[in-house]
Amino acid sequence: MKNLIYICSVVLLASCSMDAVNVDLPEVNPKLSVSCFISSETDTIKVAVFWSKPIFSNVERPEKPEDALVTISDGNTTASLQYNSITQQYEIPATDFSLVPSTQYYLRVRASDGTEVYASTAIPEIVPSVLVKK
């Protein structure tokens, strides 16, 4: 019985053929990506800016752009964040731009090629505590 299964497997595998298939895959450009966490309890506002790395892309870009224009605003006051080459993030001390709960904030990032990303959020008045059962 084992011999019959072995012979059938060999015959089936030997009868298979592999043909090369040409598939046109779409060219995908890198996207400007931003990561930021703001809180009224932090001493520094930090924004990480980087380019995505699509699998099907031939576009070469530095992973982390150092020449982007990064601003944060509360609708009245706007501040520019400076690139810190050590942390590779855009930063501003909280003493230069204070964050207040229940205030709406706007973050805008503009890369040197003109690509823009923007978002808005508000810091909650009360941060809920999370209980972890042990």
Side-chain angles (χ1 to χ4, degrees), residues 20-48:
V21 177
N22 291 327
V23 177
D24 290 329
L25 297 172
E27 179 74 21
V28 179
N29 290 323
K31 304 287 186 216
L32 189 60
S33 302
V34 177
S35 175
C36 178
F37 174 79
I38 61 172
S39 168
S40 57
E41 298 175 5
T42 60
D43 60 349
T44 306
I45 301 168
K46 298 179 181 182
V47 179

Side-chain angles (χ1 to χ4, degrees), residues 7 22 25 28 30 35 49 51-52 60 76 87 92 102 109 114 120:
I7 291 170
N22 291 327
L25 297 172
V28 179
S35 175
V49 179
W51 289 104
S52 66
E60 291 293 324
N76 297 317
T87 63
I92 187 171
S102 298
V109 178
S120 64

Side-chain angles (χ1 to χ4, degrees), residues 2 6 14 18 33 40-41 43 53 59 77 80 85-86 90 96 133:
K2 287 182 186 178
Y6 176 73
M18 301 278 275
S33 302
S40 57
E41 298 175 5
D43 60 349
K53 291 185 180 180
V59 177
T77 305
S80 294
S85 60
I86 296 170
Y90 291 83
D96 293 352
K133 292 184 178 181

